[in-house]
Amino acid sequence: MGSVFGKESVKEPPFDILLQRSDVKTTYEVRQYGERFAASVTYTVNNSNGSGDDNNDDNVKSPFGILAKYIGVFGTPQNEGSTSIAMTAPVIMEQDAKKPETIAMTAPVVMENTSGEDGSNTKKMMFMLPAEYDSVSKIPKPSNPLVHIEEIPSEVGVVHRYNGKYTDTTNREVAKELGEQLMSDGIGGITEEYVLDNFQFWGYNPPFTLPYFRRNEVWLKLNDDQVSYLKENYPSSSNREGRLVGGSSSNSMKGRSMFTLGLCGLVVGAYAVGFIFRSRAQYRRI
C-alpha cells in the first residue's frame, strides 16, 4: 500500500550533498557518490517511425525483466553464486558453488542512452547492487549473457528531482531545462547537445506508484572544474553539506509522507462515511 503513495522501501547508495540550488527556476543539487557496482543490460530502441515509442530489439524485449530475473525477483535468480552472502532483504544462504543467489533490490534504476546515425537509440538499464557487493569477486556471475556487471567509479554530478509520469520525451525535456539552468548559472562546457547525450534518468518507484508520488531524477556528471566553479560562485548554497543515505531524510520527503498519511486518512474517512450511509439506507428499507 505504501509503495502506491511513494514509500521507498529499498536501499540506495549513500551520497554527500555538496551544494543545493533551491532558489532558481530549475532546482538542483550536486551530489558525490562513492564507488558502486551495477548490473546492466544494453539494448537498441528504434524510433525511426517517428512515433516516439520504444520498440526494443528482438533480443531484449524487457531489460527490466532480464535484470529482475538476475537478482531473483521472479523466482530462481539467474546468476551463479560462489559464496554464501547474507543481505538485508531478502536473504538466501547458499554454501554450494554455482547456486543461485537472490540479491536485494536497490534504487535507483538507471537509464542512459546515446543516439545512433540510423535513428536508433542504444540504451542501457542498470540496477545498482547493494553495498555488500563492494568488489567484482563478491558479485554472483550472471547466467544470462545479456547481463553485465559494471564498476562505477566515484563521481560528482548534478541532480534535478521531479514527480509525475515519465517518458523518453518528458525525461529529455526535463534534462533540457536542467541544462538551461546550468548554462544560466555560468557553468562552462554545458550545451544542450552535451546534456541530451550524457544525462541519465533515475527511477525509484515501482510502476504502480501514483504519478504524483513518484521520485524521478535526472543526473548529469560534472568534472572537477565545474564543481569548483559552483562552490566558488554560489557559496551560500554549499553550506548544507552533509551525509545522506538516499533522500529519505530530506524535508521534502517528510512533507510528502505527511501528505500521504493525510490522503490515506481522507480515503478511509470517505469510505467509512459511505458505509454508514449505505447501512442506514438498508435499515430504512427493512
Side-chain angles (χ1 to χ4, degrees):
M1 181 67 175
S3 296
V4 175
F5 294 102
K7 180 180 179 181
E8 297 172 25
S9 58
V10 296
K11 289 185 176 181
E12 60 181 284
F15 57 82
D16 288 324
I17 296 179
L18 306 183
L19 180 146
Q20 290 178 319
R21 292 278 283 153
S22 56
D23 56 349
V24 291
K25 181 180 179 181
T26 303
T27 60
Y28 63 85
E29 64 184 22
V30 178
R31 298 180 189 168
Q32 180 173 17
Y33 285 90
E35 182 184 63
R36 295 153 290 163
F37 288 87
S40 70
V41 170
T42 301
Y43 59 103
T44 299
V45 176
N46 192 342
N47 290 329
S48 58
N49 58 9
S51 65
D53 296 330
D54 281 359
N55 302 309
N56 295 359
D57 59 41
D58 292 336
N59 293 328
V60 186
K61 291 297 184 183
S62 173
F64 184 93
I66 291 173
L67 291 171
K69 289 177 181 177
Y70 165 68
I71 66 174
V73 173
F74 301 131
T76 303
Q78 293 184 354
N79 64 62
E80 299 174 358
S82 59
T83 58
S84 176
I85 302 174
M87 288 167 280
T88 51
V91 176
I92 289 181
M93 303 295 292
E94 293 288 354
Q95 298 290 342
D96 212 0
K98 303 301 182 183
K99 291 293 182 68
E101 295 182 15
T102 299
I103 302 173
M105 181 69 180
T106 58
V109 175
V110 178
M111 294 186 67
E112 64 179 27
N113 64 280
T114 56
S115 298
E117 295 181 357
D118 59 354
S120 64
N121 288 330
T122 299
K123 295 194 174 187
K124 181 189 295 181
M125 180 177 288
M126 293 186 285
F127 279 13
M128 295 297 174
L129 298 179
E132 294 91 331
Y133 295 103
D134 54 5
S135 69
V136 174
S137 62
K138 295 181 180 180
I139 300 173
K141 181 181 178 181
S143 56
N144 188 330
L146 294 173
V147 179
H148 300 277
I149 303 302
E150 298 191 20
E151 180 179 355
I152 304 175
S154 177
E155 56 186 355
V156 178
V158 59
V159 175
H160 171 68
R161 178 172 174 170
Y162 59 103
N163 62 353
K165 294 181 179 180
Y166 60 87
T167 63
D168 282 348
T169 300
T170 301
N171 297 341
R172 287 174 65 85
E173 288 298 323
V174 173
K176 285 173 61 177
E177 292 174 1
L178 175 59
E180 290 171 358
Q181 183 62 58
L182 297 176
M183 287 185 280
S184 176
D185 286 348
I187 302 177
I190 301 294
T191 65
E192 180 178 307
E193 181 180 5
Y194 174 81
V195 171
L196 294 180
D197 285 344
N198 292 278
F199 83 90
Q200 293 180 344
F201 168 77
W202 293 4
Y204 291 81
N205 307 104
F208 49 79
T209 299
L210 296 176
Y212 175 82
F213 298 102
R214 287 186 181 278
R215 176 185 172 190
N216 308 319
E217 292 181 344
V218 165
W219 157 277
L220 186 68
K221 184 178 178 180
L222 299 179
N223 60 39
D224 292 341
D225 291 339
Q226 291 168 333
V227 175
S228 297
Y229 172 86
L230 283 171
K231 286 185 174 182
E232 291 172 1
N233 287 272
Y234 303 101
S236 61
S237 301
S238 60
N239 58 2
R240 304 165 186 170
E241 183 173 346
R243 189 71 167 176
L244 287 178
V245 178
S248 57
S249 61
S250 67
N251 292 331
S252 61
M253 284 302 298
K254 291 178 181 178
R256 183 165 292 186
S257 298
M258 293 301 294
F259 179 83
T260 300
L261 291 174
L263 182 60
C264 290
L266 181 62
V267 171
V268 172
Y271 177 83
V273 170
F275 178 79
I276 292 173
F277 275 106
R278 286 195 299 271
S279 298
R280 287 182 177 179
Q282 292 175 355
Y283 177 78
R284 288 179 186 139
R285 286 198 295 270
I286 295 173

